[in-house]
Amino acid sequence: MILVTGGAGFIGSHACVELINAGYDVVVVDNLVNSHEKSLDRVRQITGKRPEFVKADVCDEKAMDAVFSKYDIDSVIHFAGLKAVGESVQKPLEYFSNNLDASMVLCKVMRKHGVHNLVFSSSATVYSGDNEMPLTESSKTGNCTNPYGWTKYMSEQIFKALCVADPDLSIVLLRYFNPVGAHESGLIGEDPQGIPNNLMPYVSQVAIGRRDHLTVFGDDYDTTDGTGVRDYIHVVDLAKAHVLAIQYASGHKGCEVFNIGTGKGSSVLDIVHAYEKACGKKIPYVVGPRRAGDLATVYADTQKANKVLGFKAQYDLERMCADSWRWQTMNPNGFGD
Ligand code: NAD
Ligand code: UD1
């Protein structure tokens, strides 16, 4: 059985679908601080099977011990964590405490129960800002610009140290680039609380009429159209990478890092235009100042994941926008209805 922490969330719920489709039994632990249990009902609608669910905080060692005692867990995918960059600047203690305690408690309980395989949700945010593009797994890390980024960087250090100390451990660190889109059924997707921080959910709320217009954060970057370039990856592609990573982890030892992106950069205006095509409406936007801490261009070198995991993203920008729009129109208020 696979334990999926944070499995009720955006990426976790999509991973549950792909794991169940690949024949795995899944137990989700989530405290629902940023998600709804309804997402797991939707996983059942898609796959015919609802993951087992335990509402608990991954930082609660006793509760996690009980989960490992009750279920026969072979491997863990660890999504649980707080992820809002701006909020992490306002609430650093909450971020360090939640995200680092969760990683450490999980490892303690895994050790106690003899579970050796872990896949961790890391982020392209661990790379420092002065690298050449594309980013490879050996590009420079550190110099994070916010506490959220440091929690990912520090969790990676913890996992690497544990693998040095215990040769039986197998830990896969997946550095995600920009996950977007939704399951093609329109039943699960991203449901941000409040004003979205990230581009695609903001654009989709403009398209549905919940927001007036998009503000483009700067159009004077050294890019083709002056707007920021990122490596957007369909969340279903990303979810499938976790199935490959779990299979890899169970056949290998030690700590391995993989970039998970498409290897292709798209600008803010590329996203606006692709979304306009998907929804058949104009997306009004104004150009504002640059957002502090943003880089002009970030995209992945994906060769390692391709060669070692056999991973290659399938879906293009058009499909990411079409699936995001289907989710948005079928669930204008997310899971909150
Ligand atoms: P999400 O907020 O939708 O999912 C995270 C889930 O973890 C939520 O369901 C939340 O309720 C749960 N959670 C948080 N703290 C918990 C705790 N202490 N105990 C139990 N559950 C807890 O976010 P997501 O976009 O699905 O991201 C999943 C993971 O991937 C996170 O670790 C995130 O940092 C990482 N990541 C996300 C992105 C992105 O752009 N979405 C990019 C890079 C990395
Ligand atoms: C964000 C996170 C980063 C995380 C990554 C992956 C921030 C500061 N960084 O980065 O830690 O790893 O997502 O999900 O939140 N944009 C606009 N207008 C908007 C929103 C965004 O123009 O309203 C632009 C940004 O300037 C950027 C691009 O759109 O050029 C993408 O932004 P966003 O979706 O926030 O992703 P990242 O900046 O890559």
Side-chain angles (χ1 to χ4, degrees):
M1 189 164 219
I2 313 282
L3 167 62
V4 178
T5 75
F10 171 45
I11 306 170
S13 57
H14 288 82
C16 287
V17 167
E18 298 308 321
L19 288 165
I20 292 169
N21 285 344
Y24 289 100
D25 291 322
V26 175
V27 53
V28 166
V29 170
D30 200 305
N31 63 3
L32 305 177
V33 2
N34 196 38
S35 54
H36 294 260
E37 195 184 335
K38 207 192 239 180
S39 64
L40 301 180
D41 299 330
R42 300 288 182 82
V43 170
R44 175 174 47 202
Q45 258 180 279
I46 297 167
T47 64
K49 214 166 157 184
R50 193 182 200 271
E52 295 282 320
F53 176 60
V54 179
K55 185 175 177 215
D57 190 323
V58 181
C59 304
D60 179 345
E61 196 169 333
K62 254 185 151 167
M64 293 308 287
D65 190 34
V67 170
F68 278 77
S69 298
K70 180 168 178 192
Y71 298 98
D72 185 13
I73 295 166
D74 314 300
S75 304
V76 179
I77 307 183
H78 180 36
F79 292 105
L82 300 174
K83 63 159 187 177
V85 171
E87 185 184 62
S88 81
V89 176
Q90 305 306 316
K91 299 181 176 174
L93 196 51
E94 282 77 359
Y95 271 69
F96 284 119
S97 156
N98 187 71
N99 292 3
L100 297 180
D101 282 354
S103 293
M104 290 188 286
V105 164
L106 192 56
C107 289
K108 277 190 207 162
V109 180
M110 283 174 64
R111 180 170 63 187
K112 181 172 172 199
H113 291 266
V115 178
H116 301 304
N117 306 325
L118 176 76
V119 175
F120 174 64
S121 302
S122 191
S123 166
T125 195
V126 301
Y127 290 111
S128 64
D130 53 354
N131 285 297
E132 302 262 304
M133 294 297 143
L135 295 166
T136 73
E137 289 78 359
S138 48
S139 294
K140 213 161 96 192
T141 58
N143 297 321
C144 301
T145 50
N146 56 76
Y148 166 72
W150 281 117
T151 69
K152 292 297 176 191
Y153 177 88
M154 290 156 81
S155 287
E156 286 200 358
Q157 304 308 310
I158 292 167
F159 292 129
K160 285 178 186 169
L162 292 175
C163 285
V164 171
D166 180 354
D168 286 334
L169 273 180
S170 176
I171 300 186
V172 176
L173 308 176
L174 298 182
R175 292 179 181 156
Y176 311 158
F177 280 67
N178 293 61
V180 297
H183 190 265
E184 63 173 349
S185 62
L187 291 170
I188 52 174
E190 191 168 11
D191 181 16
Q193 307 303 305
I195 302 171
N197 302 302
N198 298 113
L199 178 63
M200 180 79 87
Y202 202 103
V203 168
S204 66
Q205 292 195 1
V206 173
I208 199 86
R210 266 170 82 179
R211 322 242 162 237
D212 285 353
H213 63 271
L214 170 74
T215 302
V216 175
F217 297 149
D219 67 351
D220 56 353
Y221 286 106
D222 184 14
T223 60
T224 45
D225 61 22
T227 67
V229 167
R230 295 292 183 273
D231 186 341
Y232 298 93
I233 177 166
H234 196 297
V235 64
V236 171
D237 275 329
L238 178 59
K240 287 177 178 166
H242 290 78
V243 177
L244 295 171
I246 275 289
Q247 288 163 353
Y248 176 85
S250 48
H252 293 80
K253 298 284 174 220
C255 192
E256 280 296 333
V257 186
F258 297 97
N259 283 341
I260 305 293
T262 62
K264 187 175 174 291
S266 305
S267 73
V268 175
L269 295 181
D270 289 337
I271 297 287
V272 167
H273 297 136
Y275 215 98
E276 285 177 337
K277 208 168 153 198
C279 71
K281 303 178 193 181
K282 273 268 167 231
I283 306 286
Y285 69 85
V286 298
V287 176
R290 293 180 177 193
R291 180 172 66 183
D294 272 357
L295 296 173
T297 301
V298 180
Y299 64 99
D301 182 318
T302 57
Q303 288 182 69
K304 185 178 175 191
N306 187 225
K307 281 196 193 119
V308 181
L309 298 178
F311 174 73
K312 197 168 181 355
Q314 305 290 326
Y315 297 123
D316 62 9
L317 205 54
E318 224 168 275
R319 178 64 189 267
M320 298 177 212
C321 295
D323 287 341
S324 160
W325 179 237
R326 186 176 307 105
W327 154 255
Q328 186 68 62
T329 46
M330 285 172 64
N331 310 270
N333 299 309
F335 291 111
D337 282 347

